[in-house]
Amino acid sequence: TDKKKFHTASVGQAFRLRPFHVLVATAGGYAGYRKYEGYKLEQLEERGIEVPVKLASEWKVALYKSVPTRLLSRAWGRLNQVELPTWLRKPVYSLYIWTFGVNMKEAAVEDLHHYRNLSEFFRRKLKPQARPVCCLHSVISPSDGKILNFGQVKNCEVEQVKGVTYSLESFLGPRISREELHFSQAPPHNSFQQQLVTKEGNELYHCVIYLAPGDYHCFHSPTDWRVSHRRHFPGSLMSVNPGVARWIKELFCHNERVVLTGDWKHGFFSLTAVGATNVGSIRIYFDQDLHTNSPCYSKGSYNDFSFISNNNKEGIPMRKGEHLGEFNLGSTIVLIFEAPKDFKFHLKAGQKIRFGEALGSL
């Protein structure tokens, strides 16, 4: 009898639910439900059915943010680096290829046994001829992906998807000093948007590109420009798929992101790599000091780094199509730049695009 009571007590302790476990299970289940809802919305969009915007309430966003996505993303990153046995590589990668529609014929190395782990497979390079860079247009797509939104920035607000906006200043952070952005000439009393526009008659434009898990994960320079400054925002790692972007206002301002700012021939230019669930690692090839998805960070904080110094007064020159960085899985890239009023996008919202194809030109 004593042994039986002891056994019963041990089982009871083993299966005792704690508040943290209940919270994680509930929030995780709800996040999964939202992903499923996002998938259904994408199917409706593909059929040409307009979907009304239904924004999440504050408590729903707080519940979603309570999921330990940063911890899960770090765990996922470590799992991706585990070397797979040679006999297991083909079935694992084949399942991924089938699930996300990966085109391995474009890969520089098509043999699946070549990739020692999932991380190497995600960061696979393409054949040189797979992505010809458009020479006729001034701005090209920096990556493969789906166009979520594009157009002029108005009233210091940017659309992440149609009907859902976020603050330009919250996204980019406080204006960088004139010493670091030496080309800036706007008076400080103007609005944040007006301060970014350096030439009279120019407008501010934006373009949002979503990289799905099956897409090519490297991103490149979208034009000829100089990178003078990097700003890193630690933050959440919520999903950035179109369904969630339509559901959470200012999603891109909540998530971890790396903002590169500089100038091109028409003035201000910026490229922002936005992190997402399982994409805690954002790498910029020329920035060895950048470390993303750190275990500890202060909410609302950011850190700056200037590429302009006494020895390098021009910053980092980038040529159109040049390798710039990479994600460990699909995520989002946001371009915000200055251009003359006659700049035209050659895009449609929702269209698929590949690295090297034209975004727009004068």
Side-chain angles (χ1 to χ4, degrees):
T1 304
D2 291 340
K3 288 183 178 178
K4 186 176 181 180
K5 288 181 179 178
F6 176 77
H7 178 70
T8 304
S10 299
V11 173
Q13 285 184 346
F15 288 94
R16 183 180 299 168
L17 292 176
R18 296 176 181 173
F20 176 76
H21 298 154
V22 173
L23 180 63
V24 170
T26 304
Y30 191 74
Y33 167 75
R34 289 307 313 174
K35 283 196 172 185
Y36 173 69
E37 287 292 304
Y39 171 77
K40 290 198 300 183
L41 290 175
E42 287 185 17
Q43 296 301 306
L44 292 174
E45 279 187 344
E46 289 180 0
R47 291 161 56 187
I49 301 174
E50 188 171 347
V51 181
V53 174
K54 294 177 67 176
L55 292 177
S57 59
E58 290 186 8
W59 73 265
K60 290 181 178 178
V61 176
L63 179 63
Y64 188 9
K65 292 178 73 173
S66 69
V67 179
T69 51
R70 293 179 65 86
L71 177 62
L72 293 173
S73 296
R74 284 196 297 273
W76 176 251
R78 292 183 180 180
L79 179 63
N80 287 349
Q81 294 174 3
V82 174
E83 185 169 341
L84 297 175
T86 305
W87 61 269
L88 190 58
R89 294 174 188 176
K90 187 170 183 178
V92 169
Y93 301 147
S94 296
L95 177 62
Y96 187 92
I97 290 167
W98 177 79
T99 303
F100 297 109
V102 178
N103 183 4
M104 284 302 294
K105 291 183 179 179
E106 298 177 332
V109 181
E110 297 183 39
D111 182 12
L112 298 180
H113 296 100
H114 170 79
Y115 303 100
R116 295 173 297 177
N117 51 48
L118 282 166
S119 182
E120 286 189 1
F121 179 72
F122 293 147
R123 294 181 286 106
R124 64 192 177 276
K125 304 301 181 184
L126 298 181
K127 294 174 181 175
Q129 68 274 19
R131 296 290 186 275
V133 175
C134 178
C135 299
L136 300 177
H137 299 276
S138 53
V139 184
I140 62 167
S141 176
S143 67
D144 290 4
K146 178 181 181 181
I147 301 296
L148 295 190
N149 216 308
F150 63 93
Q152 282 191 20
V153 177
K154 298 180 180 178
N155 302 319
C156 294
E157 292 282 322
V158 185
E159 281 193 319
Q160 59 190 31
V161 294
K162 186 177 180 181
V164 182
T165 63
Y166 56 93
S167 163
L168 178 65
E169 186 169 5
S170 296
F171 181 69
L172 295 178
R175 184 167 176 265
I176 301 164
S177 66
R178 290 189 183 186
E179 288 74 19
E180 294 186 64
L181 292 183
H182 54 85
F183 57 88
S184 180
Q185 301 171 351
H189 60 269
N190 286 358
S191 71
F192 185 80
Q193 179 176 337
Q194 292 172 327
Q195 291 176 34
L196 296 181
V197 177
T198 64
K199 299 180 181 179
E200 186 176 352
N202 281 2
E203 298 288 347
L204 206 61
Y205 297 86
H206 74 98
C207 183
V208 184
I209 305 170
Y210 167 68
L211 288 74
D215 288 329
Y216 168 56
H217 298 298
C218 296
F219 51 93
H220 301 245
S221 176
T223 192
D224 296 335
W225 64 308
R226 294 178 300 170
V227 184
S228 55
H229 187 271
R230 179 258 291 163
R231 176 168 283 163
H232 172 218
F233 291 86
S236 301
L237 288 174
M238 294 184 283
S239 171
V240 292
N241 74 54
V244 177
R246 188 181 291 104
W247 182 57
I248 298 180
K249 184 178 175 63
E250 297 203 330
L251 171 64
F252 299 154
C253 297
H254 290 295
N255 273 17
E256 182 162 16
R257 59 198 182 278
V258 177
V259 183
L260 300 178
T261 53
D263 65 303
W264 70 319
K265 60 183 178 181
H266 299 296
F268 174 81
F269 200 96
S270 73
L271 180 148
T272 302
V274 182
T277 307
N278 295 334
V279 196
S281 176
I282 302 171
R283 182 183 174 195
I284 305 298
Y285 294 138
F286 57 75
D287 189 354
Q288 303 302 317
D289 295 321
L290 175 65
H291 300 286
T292 56
N293 196 13
S294 299
C296 299
Y297 73 98
S298 300
K299 185 178 180 181
S301 65
Y302 62 86
N303 57 77
D304 289 335
F305 184 85
S306 176
F307 298 109
I308 294 177
S309 63
N310 293 331
N311 297 326
N312 179 17
K313 297 184 182 297
E314 298 298 321
I316 307 295
M318 298 297 300
R319 305 296 298 175
K320 183 167 65 174
E322 186 177 351
H323 277 82
L324 182 55
E326 63 187 33
F327 295 110
N328 268 354
L329 202 60
S331 194
T332 297
I333 288 178
V334 180
L335 302 179
I336 298 175
F337 57 93
E338 174 185 359
K341 291 183 178 180
D342 56 350
F343 181 87
K344 300 294 182 184
F345 284 102
H346 305 289
L347 302 170
K348 292 181 180 179
Q351 79 171 69
K352 292 284 188 180
I353 197 166
R354 303 201 303 176
F355 155 61
E357 294 179 347
L359 285 184
S361 62
L362 297 170

